[in-house]
Amino acid sequence: MAGGALPSPAIGAAKDEAPRRPVIEIEHLDAHYGARQILFDVNLDIFSGEIMVIMGGSGSGKSTLMRLAVGLERPSAGVVRLFGKDINRLKASEMLNLRRRMGVSFQGGALLSSLSVAENIKLPLRELTRLDERTMDIMARLKLEVTNLSGFGDLMPSELSGGMLKRAAVARAIVMDPSLLFFDEPSAGLDPVVASALDDLILRLRDAMDMTVVVVTHDIESAFKIADRITVLDKGRILAVDSAEAIRNSGSERIQNLLHRRAEQEAIEPAEYLRRLAGDA
């Protein structure tokens, strides 16, 4: 196949069905923070209906990649297409319309502390629609039910446990029934039982609502539980994009070090080490 491109996987479909088209297309993507380059020539397609997990060590660039895919930041070079549209060429009104089809669940929940849980969930509806109050109330209650938070809508975020905050953030992310959903470190700070329940919720949402889901995580167990495919990032470059089973059995030493949490020792010449200590590197 030209350019070494991967074929479109028939995620969750029978073998005789047509392959699904990419919802996210990332081509030759570079990203910088000042003079420091974070991502290097990243190329990635994410297909309709799949759960793509992006994993890598701290500082590998996975959260930066998600922010670029969502359109919160602009790349130094390269293209990000969502639903076939180059997001860096869209007008503000066109990007707003595109965001109606997306949901994002941020790492810390990002709920507004001054609003109740239900009012937090209704925020996207207030900002992006002209629905009446009763309809918004019904939609918020439905999403509270889906995320097992029924009856907690009147509480303030400070009154929720960590797991409940994560689920409330998911309820807000899905309140407009998006076809594309992003999670940033969904299991961070949660105990294993609560984290596993959140994984189950992600799987149910994908199956029930036919969503495309992108999950950025460092949680190895969670990644293998929910992923259709896994993208492994290392120092801003893609090491592999493959099925969870293929990643688990990869012959790459760097991937196995990541999976088994083995530290890599960087070999440094004595002269280079002295330059670093002197601040000349």
Side-chain angles (χ1 to χ4, degrees):
M1 187 170 292
L6 291 172
S8 166
I11 303 297
K15 291 183 179 180
D16 57 350
E17 290 185 14
R20 299 196 179 200
R21 292 179 294 181
V23 172
I24 303 175
E25 299 166 90
I26 296 171
E27 298 176 357
H28 303 296
L29 198 68
D30 292 346
H32 289 77
Y33 290 143
R36 181 184 174 212
Q37 187 163 357
I38 306 300
L39 296 176
F40 300 81
D41 195 31
V42 171
N43 294 273
L44 180 65
D45 286 344
I46 299 174
F47 296 92
S48 173
E50 77 169 321
I51 297 178
M52 171 65 82
V53 169
I54 300 173
M55 60 187 293
S58 178
S60 61
K62 55 188 184 295
S63 292
T64 297
L65 181 57
M66 192 191 90
R67 288 195 294 271
L68 290 165
V70 173
L72 295 177
E73 296 181 9
R74 296 178 67 89
S76 306
V79 175
V80 176
R81 281 191 290 270
L82 299 181
F83 306 104
K85 297 181 180 180
D86 183 346
I87 62 175
N88 291 315
R89 294 180 177 269
L90 296 180
K91 298 177 182 177
S93 59
E94 293 172 324
M95 191 64 203
L96 188 62
N97 286 332
L98 201 62
R99 286 202 168 109
R100 290 187 172 96
R101 304 174 64 183
M102 301 159 47
V104 182
S105 180
F106 295 99
Q107 180 174 344
L111 300 184
L112 297 181
S113 60
S114 59
L115 298 179
S116 69
V117 172
E119 287 300 319
N120 268 284
I121 293 170
K122 289 190 287 185
L123 274 177
L125 301 175
R126 292 198 190 283
E127 295 292 327
L128 300 173
T129 75
R130 296 182 178 179
L131 296 173
D132 62 84
E133 194 68 29
R134 178 171 172 75
T135 300
M136 288 192 290
D137 286 340
I138 292 171
M139 293 177 71
R141 283 198 293 271
L142 282 171
K143 296 311 185 281
L144 285 167
E145 187 74 34
V146 167
T147 53
N148 295 322
L149 287 173
S150 180
F152 293 96
D154 292 332
L155 295 184
M156 303 301 287
S158 61
E159 299 177 283
L160 301 183
S161 66
M164 294 170 74
L165 276 172
K166 295 275 190 179
R167 284 185 279 136
V170 174
R172 184 177 61 186
I174 65 172
V175 72
M176 293 185 62
D177 296 327
S179 54
L180 175 58
L181 185 58
F182 293 87
F183 287 92
D184 186 13
E185 299 285 6
S187 60
L190 301 180
D191 68 60
V193 174
V194 176
S196 179
L198 191 57
D199 290 339
D200 292 338
L201 175 60
I202 292 171
L203 290 167
R204 289 200 307 272
L205 287 173
R206 190 276 303 272
D207 294 340
M209 304 176 74
D210 195 27
M211 290 179 177
T212 303
V213 182
V214 181
V215 180
V216 169
T217 186
H218 67 280
D219 188 326
I220 307 299
E221 184 175 349
S222 173
F224 284 122
K225 179 177 179 179
I226 66 176
D228 292 307
R229 289 192 300 152
I230 294 175
T231 296
V232 181
L233 279 176
D234 181 63
K235 298 178 182 177
R237 292 180 169 86
I238 289 183
L239 284 184
V241 183
D242 215 325
S243 68
E245 190 62 24
I247 295 296
R248 188 193 299 274
N249 297 317
S250 172
S252 166
E253 181 180 0
R254 292 166 79 179
I255 291 177
Q256 290 302 321
N257 285 342
L258 173 67
L259 299 184
H260 297 285
R261 300 184 179 184
R262 293 194 293 255
E264 293 184 353
Q265 298 297 324
E266 182 182 5
I268 305 175
E269 293 293 329
E272 172 67 15
Y273 181 64
L274 289 173
R275 281 196 297 271
R276 288 191 185 186
L277 292 178
D280 298 330

